[in-house]
Amino acid sequence: MRFTVSRELARNKFFCGLLLLFFVQCLLFLFLNIVFEKDKWGLSPAEITTKIHGDEAEYIQAMEISDIVTHVHIELFLYPFLLVMCFLVYFHSEHLQQRRIVLAVLTFTFCMLNSISPFLVIAKNYFSIVKVLSFWGLTMLTMTVIVANIVYLAKILYGSSCEKNKNT
């Protein structure tokens, strides 16, 4: 990622276009991830607790620890990779540096909490609220960064041509 050091992102329109398509696809991934999260864990503390611990009255089996480890293992690779890609471009944007740093720290914190929270729910059910809040915090902040990146890249790609058309 040479542009992270040289800051020559605006010179390479083709690469900007590829990044723009990548971030649009990342938005699609996040929307589908909400559906996946609902199916895998649930979107409320009660659903998460039931999925992890099971419910004999409703004939729902408890999740095995190997299933939890497999899911968390995948998340521990995908989310940080996605976040690094998002923030590499976001740090080039015109947003205030303090805002960029706070957003990055919050997003990575939500990412870590989202990954470890299933193990916390095994210990105590009330940690299911951590799972819900960390998932939604991670998702919303990541979407915010992705949309900011899409706007930033669109300005690079189309901003100069729009200004030229206004002048003619």
Side-chain angles (χ1 to χ4, degrees):
M1 292 270 178
R2 195 178 94 192
F3 77 90
T4 60
V5 176
S6 66
R7 296 189 175 261
E8 294 179 357
L9 188 59
R11 291 186 189 175
N12 193 338
K13 302 287 187 185
F14 177 73
F15 189 63
C16 281
L18 287 177
L19 282 173
L20 188 69
L21 292 175
F22 172 76
F23 288 125
V24 169
Q25 193 169 4
C26 287
L27 275 180
L28 178 62
F29 166 78
L30 288 174
F31 283 119
L32 291 175
N33 195 46
I34 294 170
V35 176
F36 179 74
E37 185 82 7
K38 172 140 181 56
D39 183 55
K40 183 68 177 179
W41 302 108
L43 296 177
S44 72
E47 289 176 324
I48 292 168
T49 302
T50 302
K51 288 273 187 169
I52 291 176
H53 292 290
D55 187 350
E56 289 182 16
E58 295 183 26
Y59 302 105
I60 298 173
Q61 290 184 344
M63 288 181 77
E64 293 190 23
I65 193 75
S66 62
D67 292 336
I68 295 172
V69 168
T70 300
H71 184 73
V72 168
H73 179 262
I74 293 168
E75 281 185 355
L76 284 173
F77 173 76
L78 286 178
Y79 282 133
F81 177 74
L82 172 67
L83 294 178
V84 165
M85 289 298 298
C86 289
F87 280 104
L88 281 175
V89 173
Y90 187 68
F91 282 160
H92 288 281
S93 68
E94 58 270 355
H95 297 284
L96 297 173
Q97 183 175 356
Q98 184 178 4
R99 178 182 175 189
R100 293 182 294 198
I101 292 170
V102 168
L103 197 56
V105 169
L106 275 175
T107 306
F108 276 94
T109 301
F110 281 134
C111 180
M112 186 56 68
L113 285 173
N114 186 54
S115 295
I116 66 169
S117 58
F119 299 111
L120 299 174
V121 175
I122 291 171
K124 296 288 182 185
N125 290 345
Y126 57 80
F127 282 115
S128 60
I129 191 73
V130 173
K131 176 71 174 142
V132 172
L133 294 176
S134 61
F135 171 74
W136 285 111
L138 172 63
T139 302
M140 292 300 122
L141 290 178
T142 305
M143 283 184 179
T144 301
V145 171
I146 290 172
V147 168
N149 286 344
I150 289 172
V151 169
Y152 173 67
L153 292 169
K155 282 181 183 178
I156 291 174
L157 283 173
Y158 304 112
S160 60
S161 64
C162 291
E163 290 173 15
K164 288 177 187 175
N165 290 339
K166 286 181 185 177
N167 292 335
T168 58

